[in-house]
Amino acid sequence: MTDDKYGKIVCFIHNLIRMSYMGQDNLNLVDATCGNGFDTLFLCNIAGKTGHVTGFDIQREAIERTNDLLKRDMDYTNYRLINDSHEFISKYISSLDVCIFNLGYLPQFDKKIKTDGDTTVAAINNLIPLLNKNGRIYITAYITHDTGEEYMKISEFLASLNNSEYNVLHIRLINKSNSPPEIFIVEKNA
């Protein structure tokens, strides 16, 4: 039994992914926003020896932090790190089982450099056609990092997806007053 709480958004997403994909072979996983590398490390453990993880970040510092973490805490190499914007992910991958977006800025770095609604929506739009049958995109959006502009663009875009083709879940904590992050999950509807 784990002591992870649903209110810890990152733990919640990791639990959902673990329950859905752990033990499957040949998974194609993406961390669209490497940051400090913790989601990338988690995905590498899910991928195991037969799967592959592609990590993206526009900041060289994030790629270096992620690479250092993976080299220190991994026994095998099943990943590739790309210093590019997540809006260009589809140039590098052709199929997708899981993608994690943890939006905002790189912790303990320049808070002026952060994800953007237009590029994030472009990334999601480019990834959706690559989703495998049981694939999902997990998006953690922070309402306060840019006065909610990115969150609103993502929410509007996802609400406009054809409901006969895709399911979009929206998960949020309703008893917190500090504007906690919210989750969107996108999957194929058949």
Side-chain angles (χ1 to χ4, degrees), residues 1-150:
M1 184 76 180
T2 179
D3 65 351
D4 295 339
K5 301 291 183 192
Y6 288 148
K8 294 180 180 178
I9 298 300
V10 171
C11 293
F12 180 67
I13 289 174
H14 286 190
N15 283 335
L16 291 174
I17 293 169
R18 191 178 296 110
M19 288 186 297
S20 297
Y21 300 97
M22 191 67 156
Q24 293 185 29
D25 291 330
N26 303 311
L27 292 169
N28 291 310
L29 311 172
V30 171
D31 183 352
T33 52
C34 286
N36 285 314
F38 299 114
D39 285 336
T40 313
L41 177 61
F42 168 77
L43 290 175
C44 286
N45 287 319
I46 295 296
K49 293 181 181 179
T50 64
H52 191 267
V53 176
T54 307
F56 292 85
D57 208 290
I58 199 164
Q59 294 185 74
R60 188 80 208 136
E61 176 73 18
I63 294 296
E64 290 169 5
R65 287 181 187 184
T66 300
N67 194 43
D68 290 346
L69 176 70
L70 297 179
K71 283 183 176 181
R72 186 182 70 231
D73 292 356
M74 292 284 299
D75 293 330
Y76 46 87
T77 305
N78 59 354
Y79 63 90
R80 147 175 88 149
L81 301 177
I82 298 172
N83 185 200
D84 201 352
S85 173
H86 56 225
E87 71 183 303
F88 302 118
I89 289 174
S90 61
K91 288 182 1 184
Y92 301 95
I93 65 166
S94 58
S95 69
L96 178 65
D97 293 298
V98 173
C99 180
I100 295 178
F101 286 84
N102 192 345
L103 303 173
Y105 52 84
L106 178 60
Q108 299 153 358
F109 205 64
D110 186 353
K111 292 183 179 181
K112 293 176 188 164
I113 302 172
K114 57 188 178 228
T115 55
D116 170 76
D118 293 330
T119 59
T120 300
V121 167
I124 297 165
N125 192 42
N126 291 334
L127 287 170
I128 287 173
L130 305 179
L131 278 173
N132 293 328
K133 180 182 176 187
N134 295 315
R136 292 187 185 101
I137 301 170
Y138 298 82
I139 305 157
T140 302
Y142 296 82
I143 298 170
T144 58
H145 89 263
D146 65 354
T147 65
E149 182 181 331
E150 182 177 35

